[in-house]
Amino acid sequence: GAMAMGNPSDLHPQSPPEEYAVKAAFIYNFAKFVEWPAGTFPDANAPLVIGVLGADPFGDVLDRTVAGKQVQGRPLRIKRWNRTRDVEGCQILFVSGSEQGSMATILDQFRAAPVLTVSDAEKFDERGGIVGFVMVENKVRFEINNRSAQQAGMKISSRLLMLALHVLE
């Protein structure tokens, strides 16, 4: 599928639903470009789980984006949690901006876990998160902390790294 990039002639700022539709499409696409370490999934048919931690900004758009789709031969599932300590069994975790205050604790918990952490909280990737969404001229872009990904045992495809606005190695 083509990456949803928005229309260059569309100069007015995107409303939040539009912005999060784009972010949902990115998150779905990220799943195609990440190699998780052996043993991450209990078996060959286990779903790839995308989690949302904190206040969910997506509404049902994330569910609709992945409905009926498979990535790397696995069905996709969405799970939501309000508390960091409840999070388990997910491969991609979107950390809501509502968790800004406890970001250090959250990132600490997942530092060594094979979980692709994603957020649009400020300076997320610089603080040790893996993928940080940023808005550039009303377009959704992302930065990648590849060092964090490698420390957690994940391999991000060079094709995805090339699309990033900025990569921390």
Side-chain angles (χ1 to χ4, degrees):
M3 291 287 226
M5 292 305 294
N7 183 340
S9 65
D10 180 6
L11 292 174
H12 57 268
Q14 294 167 327
S15 60
E18 169 82 10
E19 176 190 327
Y20 280 96
V22 174
K23 289 176 180 176
F26 270 132
I27 289 170
Y28 163 61
N29 279 292
F30 292 160
K32 303 175 185 177
F33 293 105
V34 177
E35 217 178 283
W36 280 270
T40 298
F41 297 93
D43 59 63
N45 307 314
L48 193 153
V49 177
I50 299 171
V52 177
L53 175 61
D56 182 357
F58 293 99
D60 67 348
V61 71
L62 196 51
D63 306 74
R64 288 207 315 265
T65 301
V66 307
K69 296 201 173 82
Q70 286 201 340
V71 166
Q72 303 182 22
R74 300 179 182 282
L76 294 159
R77 295 276 175 278
I78 308 292
K79 288 188 177 177
R80 294 171 173 85
W81 295 281
N82 290 318
R83 296 186 311 218
T84 315
R85 66 169 177 272
D86 295 338
V87 176
E88 58 172 14
C90 70
Q91 285 74 52
I92 298 179
L93 182 65
F94 180 86
V95 184
S96 169
S98 68
E99 307 308 293
Q100 186 78 348
S102 44
M103 211 51 94
T105 317
I106 292 167
L107 289 171
D108 216 47
Q109 175 170 331
F110 296 106
R111 184 158 290 130
V115 176
L116 188 80
T117 50
V118 181
S119 183
D120 46 20
E122 213 170 318
K123 298 198 185 336
F124 184 70
D125 56 311
E126 288 171 38
R127 297 165 72 174
I130 299 174
V131 183
F133 283 123
V134 288
M135 295 300 282
V136 180
E137 293 168 359
N138 294 321
K139 296 279 173 282
V140 179
R141 304 291 305 271
F142 58 91
E143 303 177 331
I144 294 177
N145 186 329
N146 200 30
R147 195 169 50 229
S148 289
Q150 289 168 338
Q151 284 169 348
M154 288 170 287
K155 189 169 182 284
I156 296 178
S157 159
S158 58
R159 284 161 65 195
L160 186 60
L161 295 173
M162 274 162 38
L163 293 173
L165 192 61
H166 180 71
V167 177
L168 285 166
E169 288 292 356

